Amino acid sequence: MKFILPLLILPALAFASSHGTNYDIVERTLNFLLFFGILIYFIAKPLKQMYLDRINKIASKLKSIEEKLNSSKSQKDEAIKKVEEAKINAASLIETAQKEALNLAQKVKKDTEQDIINIEKSFKEQKEFEERKMTKSVVNEILNEIFANDSLKIDQKELVNIVLKKVS
């Protein structure tokens, strides 16, 4: 109201003072100002509302972008944490694998040494068996020769001496 009242009174004051010159520039200017004032009066609220709506729309978009940015940051932080956990797990797995490999190598070495000992023992036993077999064979052969030959008569002591000589 404060703005409208002076605008309504202004044209009356302008017409009240006439100097004798008939220039209508003053009246036209006053009419333009009056028209502009009325135009602002009626259009100001919708323009102001459009301006506020535009500000609110920009603010909501900015808020949405900030939320997305915060979400992206939190996802990035989570991904970084997962990467760090994966690195720690990988280091732990490598350490465990190295320990298992060392234990496995020691077990294989121990088993191999035991197998070698068993093979050597088996070889010695087989060797002793073959020696006994050979001794029996030689003794059997000598006895067959002695008993096949009736012309040779040997007493028991001599037979044992002969066998012992053949065996050694």
Side-chain angles (χ1 to χ4, degrees):
M1 277 311 247
K2 294 178 185 179
F3 183 63
I4 297 174
L5 190 59
L7 286 177
L8 292 175
I9 297 175
L10 189 63
L13 292 175
F15 286 117
S17 64
S18 175
H19 291 291
T21 58
N22 199 2
Y23 294 112
D24 65 345
I25 187 82
V26 174
E27 290 87 11
R28 288 179 187 243
T29 305
L30 288 175
N31 282 338
F32 175 75
L33 289 175
L34 182 64
F35 173 73
F36 189 71
I38 293 171
L39 186 65
I40 287 176
Y41 176 75
F42 287 114
I43 296 179
K45 285 184 181 178
L47 284 177
K48 187 176 180 182
Q49 188 62 40
M50 282 190 335
Y51 181 70
L52 291 175
D53 290 344
R54 175 93 171 130
I55 288 173
N56 290 335
K57 188 184 284 185
I58 291 172
S60 68
K61 282 189 178 183
L62 182 62
K63 185 176 179 181
S64 170
I65 290 171
E66 285 178 355
E67 288 173 358
K68 288 180 182 178
L69 181 63
N70 290 337
S71 173
S72 297
K73 283 183 181 179
S74 66
Q75 288 176 352
K76 178 185 171 188
D77 291 340
E78 288 177 22
I80 289 172
K81 286 179 184 177
K82 286 181 181 179
V83 167
E84 291 300 321
E85 288 176 6
K87 285 181 182 179
I88 292 170
N89 288 342
S92 174
L93 287 175
I94 289 172
E95 184 179 331
T96 304
Q98 288 174 344
K99 288 179 182 177
E100 286 181 6
L102 185 63
N103 290 340
L104 186 61
Q106 289 175 349
K107 183 179 183 258
V108 167
K109 182 179 178 183
K110 183 179 176 183
D111 289 347
T112 305
E113 288 173 354
Q114 187 64 37
D115 287 346
I116 290 172
I117 290 170
N118 289 340
I119 289 172
E120 286 176 352
K121 184 178 177 183
S122 174
F123 175 73
K124 286 181 183 178
E125 289 174 357
Q126 185 69 25
K127 182 179 171 185
E128 289 173 2
F129 174 75
E130 289 296 326
E131 285 177 356
R132 282 189 305 235
K133 186 177 170 185
M134 185 72 96
T135 305
K136 284 182 184 179
S137 172
V138 169
V139 169
N140 193 17
E141 190 178 308
I142 291 172
L143 287 176
N144 282 341
E145 283 179 20
I146 291 175
F147 292 124
N149 231 346
D150 284 340
S151 59
L152 185 65
K153 297 283 181 184
I154 302 176
D155 64 2
Q156 193 174 7
K157 286 184 183 179
E158 286 182 28
L159 183 60
V160 170
N161 285 339
I162 292 173
V163 171
L164 287 176
K165 285 181 185 175
K166 282 286 193 176
V167 170
S168 53

